[in-house]
């Protein structure tokens, strides 16, 4: 196998894996929409601060208890996830069965932009609601996912040959 073929294979595996991961995220949030809304709502309502030992800080004035706003936030994330997933699949098809990387790149970049957008929505929303205090693992997950997006962007856009 040539170096060019091995790079293409790695890109193809990564594109397909990314698309599958994004699809599972969509399926999970569609199948458990109310649970996802509750999770987003818990962060937006700053519910972890009310658990023992309670934390009373001035940032609690930012808490949002509106279930309607929780649903809208989740719908925004879900719309971005769907766009990312569909774009990822089109890019994967282009990479594997059509024009190769030149045809796949715009679709994969759209998938990565949508992926970054929904992760930033969750990460920056979490930062606004001070999730680092009681939901540090969630913050680290969001940072890790942003690093994955960045690495994938370089994988699909850096001239490797």
């Amino acid at each position: 196998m040539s170096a060019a073929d091995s790079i293409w294979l790695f890109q193809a595996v990564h594109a397909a894996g990314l698309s599958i991961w994004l699809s599972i995220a969509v399926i999970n949030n569609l199948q458990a929409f109310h649970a996802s809304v509750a999770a987003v709502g818990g962060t937006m309502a700053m519910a972890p601060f009310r658990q023992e030992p309670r934390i009373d800080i001035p940032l609690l004035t930012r808490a949002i208890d509106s279930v309607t706003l929780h649903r809208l936030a989740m719908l925004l994330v879900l719309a971005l996830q769907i766009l990312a997933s569909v774009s990822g699949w089109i890019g994967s098809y282009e990479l594997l069965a059509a024009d190769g990387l030149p045809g796949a790149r715009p679709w994969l970049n759209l998938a990565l932009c949508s992926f970054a957008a929904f992760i930033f929505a969750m990460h920056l929303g979490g930062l606004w609601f001070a999730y680092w205090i009681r939901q540090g693992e969630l913050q680290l997950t969001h940072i890790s996912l942003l690093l994955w997006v960045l690495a994938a962007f370089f994988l699909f856009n850096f001239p490797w040959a």
Side-chain angles (χ1 to χ4, degrees), residues 40-58:
V40 168
T43 297
M44 290 176 70
M46 301 175 82
F49 290 93
R50 293 177 185 86
Q51 298 168 353
E52 293 299 330
R54 294 178 61 90
I55 300 174
D56 189 27
I57 59 172

Side-chain angles (χ1 to χ4, degrees), residues 100-114:
L101 189 57
R105 187 175 284 129
W107 291 105
L108 294 172
N109 284 342
L110 179 58
L112 293 171
C113 285
S114 300

Side-chain angles (χ1 to χ4, degrees), residues 11-21 88-89 92 95-96 108 156:
Q11 289 170 328
V13 167
H14 198 86
L18 177 69
S19 300
I20 293 167
W21 190 94
W89 281 114
S92 294
L95 184 61
L96 292 164
L108 294 172
F156 298 129

Side-chain angles (χ1 to χ4, degrees), residues 22 24 27 33 41 46 49 51 53 64 68-69 72 74-75 82 86-88 97 104 107 111 117 123 128 145 153:
L22 290 165
I24 292 170
I27 291 166
F33 183 76
M46 301 175 82
F49 290 93
Q51 298 168 353
I64 297 176
T68 300
L69 290 178
L72 287 173
M74 188 61 230
L75 285 170
I82 290 168
V86 170
S87 301
W107 291 105
H123 183 55
W128 180 257
L145 291 171
F153 181 82

